[in-house]
Amino acid sequence: MTPADLIRPEIQALSAYHVPDSAGLIKLDAMESPYPWPEALREDWLTTLREAALNRYPDPRGRGLQAALRAAMDIPPDMALLLGNGSDELIQMLALAVARPGRKVLSLDPGFVMYRMIALFAGMDYVGVALRTADFGLDLDATLAAIAREAPALTYIAYPNNPTGNLFDVAAIEQIIQASPGLVIVDEAYAPFTDRSFIPRVGEWPNLLVMRTVSKMGLAGLRLGYLAGPPDWLTEIDKVRLPYNINVLTQASATFALRHRDAWHAQTAAIREARAALFDALAALDGITPYPSEANFILARTAPGRAGAVFQGLLARGVLIKKLDGGHPLLADCLRITVGTPRENAALLQALEAAIGAA
Ligand SMILES: *Cc1c(COP(=O)(O)O)cnc(C)c1O
């Protein structure tokens, strides 16, 4: 047998998730925080790590970490929490728990690619409902029609959305939750950069789950996501979790960071301020149209047919962003820029001006 005989055709048709080489570049492509572990907390954190028992398996449910998450957030006390090795693993666990031939995952396009990828890995069908062209808003009629037609087992709504950066209308999301025969997962990966959230509303509907991650707040290297929702659902989904999925160092580091969350809050607050300044500076440039964002990145459109040249021009000047043009039709001529430090953003703007001039 060869791979061509054995590997499922839909897997053979994929390319592996591509991460570009960023050595030596200003890295504004992956929504990471530009800020390292706060210097003032470094010694205390290392003391904690010195005491970590690496000869032992981790706490299987991450109870200390769950307590720290609850203390940091407004999760209704009668609701359950489930931890994942990044929210990607939670998306995978949800799919594994419900997958069966003909079962569907629904989301809004353009959106987060892992909803579609993991549906495919698990042998489920993916249904994408297009956002509105003008403002990337949610097309409620089309979404409700798709839910009635497809009866999705899982519906994902990224709030704010990636890669468009906007929040959807709350009343529209409420109607989607009510109309859905399956679970609706509101993905709040960008929660540190907006004041809006469904976390306090977990429990209001029996089929609402809210997913979050520490990746965008400055801890992408830890790989930790969490899902909040009714205990009867999370007890079932927990059964497909691999034992000890959150390692000892992640549990210790994330618990420490949550106890000192003010330091990370100061970092994300600085990014929110820098986002406003970057938006204004982009809006002032000829040949670039930025879209308002509630996340730590800004979607921007170049003049028709220029996105590739602008992206390459930035790369030649040492700045890596994400080119979205060529993906979804709604993203024609679009680029996505992660908000960096004020100094990185200034370098980006300077390179961008040169790249647009040269494009
Ligand atoms: C970045 C992102 C995630 C994060 O995934 P992790 O696996 O926790 O790093 C989840 N959802 C959306 C919409 C994202 O943009």
Side-chain angles (χ1 to χ4, degrees), residues 258-340:
L258 288 163
R259 289 206 185 109
H260 298 89
R261 57 187 174 276
D262 286 355
W264 277 269
H265 182 76
Q267 293 183 347
T268 53
I271 293 167
R272 286 170 77 152
E273 266 185 48
R275 172 181 71 197
L278 180 59
F279 180 90
D280 291 346
L282 289 169
L285 284 181
D286 270 343
I288 287 281
T289 309
Y291 290 86
S293 170
E294 293 279 321
N296 66 338
F297 60 85
I298 294 177
L299 180 76
R301 188 164 258 143
T302 66
R306 295 296 209 182
V310 172
F311 172 80
Q312 288 299 336
L314 287 174
L315 206 51
R317 291 166 178 86
V319 182
L320 178 64
I321 63 165
K322 176 87 176 171
K323 181 169 79 76
L324 299 170
D325 175 77
H328 193 274
L330 259 58
L331 298 175
D333 307 312
C334 283
L335 303 169
R336 188 188 64 199
I337 303 164
T338 304
V339 180

Side-chain angles (χ1 to χ4, degrees), residues 193 197 219:
F193 309 102
S197 173
L219 300 170

Side-chain angles (χ1 to χ4, degrees), residues 180-250:
S180 292
L183 288 171
V184 176
I185 303 98
V186 174
D187 179 351
E188 299 190 337
Y190 298 97
F193 309 102
T194 180
D195 297 328
R196 307 275 285 276
S197 173
F198 275 81
I199 280 274
R201 304 188 65 183
V202 174
E204 202 171 309
W205 298 271
N207 61 333
L208 169 67
L209 304 179
V210 175
M211 187 166 68
R212 285 192 173 183
T213 173
V214 300
S215 292
K216 310 295 157 53
M217 67 174 267
L219 300 170
L222 289 184
R223 308 305 297 129
L224 176 68
Y226 46 102
L227 196 57
D232 56 343
W233 281 108
L234 295 194
T235 304
E236 294 302 320
I237 295 157
D238 186 49
K239 294 176 186 173
V240 301
R241 183 176 57 83
L242 295 178
Y244 314 120
N245 62 328
I246 312 298
N247 73 71
V248 168
L249 296 176
T250 293

